[in-house]
Amino acid sequence: MVQAPFSYRADPSVPAFPDDRPIIVFDGHCALCSAWARFVLRNDRKGRYRLLPAQTALGAAVYVHYGLDPVDYETNLLIENG
C-alpha cells in the first residue's frame, strides 16, 4: 500500500492498529461529537468506518502526529489509506 505524505504509519509514537477501513477520530466526551458518532454507526450499514475516541492512547497519538492538541479537541479526523 502506498504511504501518504502525512501518514502516521512510519511514526513510531503512533501504535500500530488495523487501518484497513477509514477511521473517524472523535471527541468521546463531547455530547455533539458522540451523537454524531452514534449517527455514523447507525447509518453505516456496511461497516465501512471504524470509530476511535480521541481520549484513548491511540486517539491522542494520532492527534499529536497531525499537530493537533490532544487535550482540547477542536475537530474530528477522518483518516483513509494512512
Side-chain angles (χ1 to χ4, degrees):
M1 185 176 273
V2 177
Q3 185 167 304
F6 299 105
S7 178
Y8 49 82
R9 290 180 176 146
D11 186 342
S13 66
V14 178
F17 61 96
D19 62 355
D20 55 327
R21 295 184 282 164
I23 299 163
I24 298 171
V25 187
F26 68 100
D27 181 353
H29 292 167
C30 168
L32 179 63
C33 300
S34 294
W36 179 76
R38 286 192 302 276
F39 172 83
V40 170
L41 285 174
R42 195 170 47 248
N43 291 285
D44 182 22
R45 290 180 169 76
K46 293 184 179 182
R48 176 170 160 75
Y49 298 98
R50 293 181 193 269
L51 294 171
L52 174 66
Q55 287 79 10
T56 63
L58 176 56
V62 169
Y63 264 73
V64 168
H65 172 79
Y66 288 109
L68 300 169
D69 187 337
V71 177
D72 186 20
Y73 311 103
E74 295 181 3
T75 187
N76 293 323
L77 299 173
L78 170 63
I79 303 170
E80 187 170 10
N81 296 324

